[in-house]
Amino acid sequence: MKEKKRYTITAALPYANGPLHLGHLAGAYLPADIFVRYLKSEGNDVAFICGSDEHGAAITLRAKKEGCTPQEIVDKNHTIIKNSFTDFGIHFDIYHRTSSEIHHKTASDFFKTLYNKGSFTKETTEQFFDEEHQQFLADRYVTGTCPKCNSAGAYGDQCEKCGSSLNPTELINPLSTLSGKTPVLKETSHWYLPMNKHEDWLKQWIDKGILDNQQQHNPTEWRKQVIGQCKSWIDNGLQPRSITRDLDWGVKVPVEGGEGKVLYVWFDAPIGYISATKQWASDNGKNWEDFWKDNKTQLIHFIGKDNIVFHGIIFPILLKEHGEFILPTNVPANEFLNLEGDKFSTSRNWAVWVHEYLEELPNRQDELRYVLNAIAPETKDSEFTWKDYQARVNNELVAILGNFVNRSLVLTHKYFEGKVPKIGNTTDYDNEVLRSIPTIQNKVGELIMQFRFRDAQTEAMTLARLGNKYLADTEPWKIFKTDEERVKTILSVSLQICFSLSNIILPFLPATSKKIKTMMGCDKEINLNEGHQLNQPILLFEKVEDDVVEKQIDKLRNSNKNQSNPKAKAMKNEIIFDDFTKLDIRIATILAAEKHPDADKLLKLTVDTGIDVRTIVSGIAEHYKPEDIIGKQVSVLINLAPRKIRGIESKGMILMAEGNQGNLAFVSPEIKIDNGGEVR
RNA sequence: GGCGAGGUAGCUCAGUUGGUUAGAGCGUCGGAUUCAUAACCCGAAGGUCACGAGUUCAACUCUCGUCCUCGCUACCA
């Protein structure tokens, strides 16, 4: 008997700023769901936690743009995301949200506890405030003249001309880069998490799995990329990070001086796991602390690789500093899923959206689960293509799994009116086949516990392959007339395989598992006794026809029919003519070009603008050789504030056109134009 | 540029602490079969394990260097 354990399993909180696509599923939610379904089938005590991350500036900006409240934005997206999960078969114990009251209280209390312990440092500074946009400006959103060297275009944090570090308040004639207006000074303070103080124990923990002198986990079980990235951060030295922001959408900072401030996302969001657990526990008569404060509980975070440092470093610091909480025993981060040769991109609409898939290919959840798990980016980036989807569904689900179950049931109906036949004398071969069932089952379980879900699924499929082989080898259709008793045994064995299959595939293909049990009349109780009546077989999977995948590929490539380039970015907000006239764009000739001495991507150009000869630093070194561009006429934005780039002052900006692949081209006049000619 | 992860059959990927002929699934080709959604089953072909050196009796595996891909980051206004 396996030991029953308690598990808290989290999946990264999706940001409620848009719907879910296949990359999200393959990255975190599907592997988490598979793991949880397996753990539960083994009788473990599991809380599977997720929810919407609903705070942050991006949501307030979107609300402003759409003319509604942030709450309306997150309400809409929370519903879409939640329904996508439900319909797809990702079965959280709770899908919560960070805008809920219990979350605000939990996060707030957590902050207070750490605050009272003196875990934070507080920095009070005068910061610039943009009155038009009603917000504080981060240092680099303020520019002005350097007080030390008098050069223009210094940034709020540093003058790149003389290299001196600055405070934005020291700048002469400061300007907000948001509104272009002069910001006002307002005092503000923020709290910082001094991560540098935690380097020592983190190193031990990541490297050796040792926490407070105890072996907390086995680091060889962690994925290489997770340990690698965490160590890379730690070895480079951790910096204090501010954990509050001047914003009004989020969890209010609950201490003196916290007015008008909220907790920053990576303090707020992971605590969402805790608050969701609390809600779930109170709804279900559980004690949430069992899931977060008992060191026999395994805490496991499923995330994508973009989230590694949050879950491998920052959140563990918060949990440990708090003192009562357990730390994760594993953080199985996946890499990224690509789509038809390109990265998923919301802005370019290069994506397969989960809610659209569910609508356009109804009742094919398990097919998508199977394919996404088969290609899950467990150790490296991987790629989803519709042709591969079609091939896997048709050649594996239909041909191997669906076919085996179907032929077993069809044969039983044909020969024995769909009643489970009596198992007679078994041959060595029968026994060997029967023995391999638990072997495969154990192997699948082991692989799942090692977070090797794609291997586990492949292993599960070997049982269906074995079933097909068993039928092909024993050929019951040939011997029915001569040896009915033998056929009874063969089909009895086949039906046992079918039933075992329904259990083994449960974590991967839950709907299919249920279908098999229903067909076998075993959905309420297991009954494979002689004479048990089976239901009429229905096909588990149907072939995906060419026109279906062609339509999907078409849709992807022509996501906007009237657009000749489907990958072109959407238009920016409308401007008025005055906005345009502020730009002074001229034709200029490149007189000289050389590689920037301390930079890979930069060229130092000398151009004749017709009104002067000036130096411009441009990030085009990967696209043009210096000697090839001398004499070329190009477009230059000449009234852009000068800026020091990697030690060289750049006065203006060369305009470049960018293709889909990131390739660059000059914007040049088609015939020679006098230098200084205006572009308008 | 720095750091991290990769580069293995046409495709998607496994390869544990270096040890005989480098594996799986799909695809391809051939065979067999007809209970089954022209499905299943058997067999074969197919790889200088990115490239170059080195350590070793022995390297896909260890060391160094080079090239390429992805991520983070420094410098693309």
Side-chain angles (χ1 to χ4, degrees):
Chain A
M1 213 45 198
K2 283 177 194 161
E3 195 191 345
K4 307 277 184 268
K5 285 186 179 169
R6 191 185 298 117
Y7 288 87
T8 303
I9 311 294
T10 73
L13 304 189
Y15 195 47
N17 197 26
L20 287 176
H21 59 60
L22 301 195
H24 297 125
L25 291 181
Y29 307 107
L30 180 57
D33 188 67
I34 291 169
F35 191 62
V36 167
R37 282 178 190 270
Y38 176 75
L39 290 179
K40 287 184 177 173
S41 75
E42 292 289 299
N44 295 293
D45 188 11
V46 184
F48 186 19
I49 305 296
C50 194
S52 300
D53 170 15
E54 306 184 307
H55 295 140
I59 283 170
T60 59
L61 285 175
R62 177 169 286 241
K64 235 179 233 177
K65 202 172 155 190
E66 295 185 11
C68 60
T69 64
Q71 190 64 49
E72 284 167 339
I73 295 281
V74 300
D75 283 351
K76 186 181 112 201
N77 286 314
H78 174 74
T79 307
I80 293 176
I81 295 170
K82 186 176 181 178
N83 289 341
S84 288
F85 281 133
T86 306
D87 296 344
F88 184 63
I90 304 286
H91 192 84
F92 299 116
D93 288 303
I94 182 167
Y95 187 77
H96 203 237
R97 50 194 309 186
T98 61
S99 62
S100 69
E101 201 185 321
I102 193 171
H103 173 68
H104 279 246
K105 181 164 188 339
T106 304
S108 183
D109 288 350
F110 202 106
F111 183 92
K112 262 191 274 185
T113 301
L114 265 60
Y115 175 85
N116 291 335
K117 279 188 148 182
S119 308
F120 304 136
T121 55
K122 184 184 180 185
E123 307 271 336
T124 302
T125 50
E126 285 205 307
Q127 283 202 10
F128 281 117
F129 184 80
D130 187 317
E131 291 187 305
E132 187 173 321
H133 287 256
Q134 280 294 305
Q135 61 177 281
F136 278 97
L137 296 164
D139 289 354
R140 62 176 176 151
Y141 284 111
V142 187
T143 61
T145 303
C146 174
K148 305 202 169 143
C149 67
N150 251 327
S151 67
Y155 278 71
D157 50 348
Q158 193 183 19
C159 170
E160 292 177 334
K161 181 141 191 175
C162 59
S164 49
S165 319
L166 301 174
N167 283 317
T169 48
E170 297 176 77
L171 292 171
I172 303 163
N173 293 327
L175 290 175
S176 161
T177 57
L178 289 183
S179 64
K181 294 185 176 159
T182 305
V184 298
L185 269 180
K186 273 180 116 169
E187 194 166 79
T188 185
S189 44
H190 285 287
W191 285 272
Y192 288 73
L193 178 67
M195 300 207 300
N196 42 312
K197 288 187 184 164
H198 299 268
E199 280 175 13
D200 290 343
W201 72 261
L202 269 174
K203 213 177 162 75
Q204 277 274 309
W205 182 61
I206 293 288
D207 244 350
K208 307 258 197 303
I210 292 173
L211 182 66
D212 297 329
N213 299 314
Q214 301 255 321
Q215 194 67 44
Q216 190 253 1
H217 68 267
N218 178 358
T220 60
E221 290 171 359
W222 285 35
R223 292 193 177 149
K224 275 194 240 174
Q225 66 265 32
V226 176
I227 291 183
Q229 190 162 356
C230 289
K231 276 173 75 174
S232 166
W233 270 61
I234 296 167
D235 292 346
N236 286 328
L238 299 173
Q239 305 299 321
R241 292 188 69 145
S242 87
I243 50 169
T244 54
R245 284 289 185 277
D246 288 299
L247 249 187
D248 60 357
W249 179 244
V251 176
K252 306 277 179 256
V253 174
V255 298
E256 202 189 322
E259 300 77 23
K261 298 175 201 306
V262 297
L263 302 183
Y264 189 43
V265 57
W266 48 262
F267 193 97
D268 175 356
I271 290 173
Y273 299 141
I274 301 172
S275 51
T277 311
K278 284 186 178 175
Q279 184 66 53
W280 166 77
S282 91
D283 293 346
N284 291 279
K286 304 262 188 176
N287 177 9
W288 75 269
E289 292 181 312
D290 290 346
F291 291 84
W292 281 96
K293 297 185 174 180
D294 176 350
N295 62 18
K296 289 192 293 297
T297 297
Q298 303 255 319
L299 172 64
I300 296 170
H301 300 303
F302 283 85
I303 55 171
K305 68 173 161 185
D306 51 330
N307 249 327
I308 288 174
V309 289
F310 295 134
H311 291 79
I313 293 178
I314 299 171
F315 191 41
I317 290 177
L318 297 177
L319 293 172
K320 180 150 191 305
E321 187 63 16
H322 185 287
E324 295 173 13
F325 285 82
I326 53 174
L327 266 53
T329 45
N330 206 330
V331 183
N334 269 1
E335 305 268 324
F336 286 153
L337 185 72
N338 293 319
L339 171 64
E340 300 281 357
D342 223 326
K343 296 175 208 299
F344 275 84
S345 164
T346 304
S347 62
R348 289 185 296 126
N349 200 21
W350 191 254
V352 177
W353 302 105
V354 177
H355 63 285
E356 290 184 1
Y357 174 91
L358 293 169
E359 239 172 65
E360 290 162 23
L361 292 120
N363 300 316
R364 287 191 181 274
Q365 286 88 333
D366 277 7
E367 284 89 330
L368 185 57
R369 287 176 69 106
Y370 181 83
V371 173
L372 289 180
N373 185 43
I375 62 169
E378 287 177 356
T379 56
K380 57 182 115 175
D381 290 357
S382 64
E383 178 163 332
F384 178 91
T385 66
W386 281 106
K387 273 196 74 177
D388 179 65
Y389 168 88
Q390 180 188 28
R392 287 184 192 274
V393 171
N394 293 354
N395 301 329
E396 297 175 38
L397 289 180
V398 174
I400 309 286
L401 177 58
N403 186 35
F404 170 67
V405 173
N406 186 241
R407 60 203 297 214
S408 300
L409 294 194
V410 166
L411 285 168
T412 307
H413 276 276
K414 185 167 178 174
Y415 297 138
F416 306 112
E417 289 96 40
K419 292 189 171 63
V420 176
K422 183 184 179 190
I423 188 158
N425 293 328
T426 52
T427 65
D428 286 351
Y429 183 40
D430 297 339
N431 293 329
E432 191 191 320
V433 166
L434 288 171
R435 273 199 308 272
S436 61
I437 294 175
T439 306
I440 290 172
Q441 191 151 21
N442 290 337
K443 188 85 187 292
V444 170
E446 275 169 29
L447 289 167
I448 288 177
M449 292 312 289
Q450 293 166 22
F451 304 102
R452 291 167 60 185
F453 307 117
R454 42 193 296 168
D455 288 344
Q457 183 172 265
T458 304
E459 183 65 24
M461 288 296 285
T462 63
L463 183 56
R465 286 178 215 283
L466 184 77
N468 278 317
K469 183 171 162 49
Y470 177 71
L471 285 179
D473 289 343
T474 53
E475 299 182 302
W477 50 89
K478 270 193 177 167
I479 57 171
F480 180 66
K481 283 181 184 158
T482 56
D483 191 352
E484 191 178 324
E485 289 308 303
R486 176 68 190 134
V487 171
K488 283 183 179 173
T489 300
I490 292 168
L491 287 184
S492 175
V493 170
S494 296
L495 291 172
Q496 284 194 47
I497 297 175
C498 286
F499 182 75
S500 302
L501 262 174
S502 75
N503 288 328
I504 292 176
I505 64 169
L506 173 70
F508 314 104
L509 308 172
T512 305
S513 167
K514 201 173 168 202
K515 269 194 212 169
I516 296 174
K517 287 199 164 80
T518 304
M519 268 192 264
M520 298 184 74
C522 293
D523 41 353
K524 297 223 171 67
E525 59 179 315
I526 304 159
N527 186 348
L528 289 176
N529 295 335
E530 182 189 348
H532 170 68
Q533 179 66 51
L534 306 175
N535 293 316
Q536 280 300 324
I538 47 164
L539 296 179
L540 290 177
F541 305 102
E542 286 181 36
K543 283 200 157 193
V544 176
E545 301 299 338
D546 290 346
D547 62 319
V548 172
V549 299
E550 275 160 20
K551 205 173 137 192
Q552 288 297 328
I553 295 171
D554 243 37
K555 180 182 167 189
L556 193 57
R557 302 211 181 271
N558 304 302
S559 44
N560 191 337
K561 284 192 198 93
N562 303 322
Q563 200 171 309
S564 64
N565 177 1
K567 295 190 179 180
K569 282 189 186 161
M571 187 176 79
K572 290 181 186 168
N573 288 343
E574 191 176 275
I575 60 167
I576 57 170
F577 186 67
D578 273 0
D579 292 332
F580 174 71
T581 56
K582 287 178 188 162
L583 303 176
D584 194 346
I585 303 171
R586 306 292 185 103
I587 296 303
T589 299
I590 298 173
L591 300 179
E594 58 182 290
K595 191 103 199 305
H596 191 298
D598 325 304
D600 308 331
K601 294 185 184 171
L602 303 179
L603 289 186
K604 179 190 169 194
L605 307 175
T606 307
V607 300
D608 180 352
T609 66
I611 53 178
D612 56 16
V613 172
R614 55 171 83 189
T615 298
I616 295 179
V617 178
S618 185
I620 58 172
E622 290 176 333
H623 301 86
Y624 289 99
K625 285 188 204 153
E627 59 268 28
D628 293 344
I629 61 175
I630 292 167
K632 247 197 156 34
Q633 283 205 304
V634 297
S635 306
V636 179
L637 178 60
I638 62 169
N639 63 336
L640 184 67
R643 186 189 167 187
K644 196 129 181 171
I645 299 174
R646 209 64 184 169
I648 298 175
E649 181 160 69
S650 178
K651 292 181 170 170
M653 169 175 164
I654 309 277
L655 302 189
M656 304 299 297
E658 185 172 4
N660 284 354
Q661 265 66 49
N663 47 319
L664 295 181
F666 289 117
V667 180
S668 301
E670 56 165 326
I671 55 168
K672 190 168 171 21
I673 288 287
D674 297 318
N675 287 337
E678 272 190 89
V679 178
R680 56 184 183 178

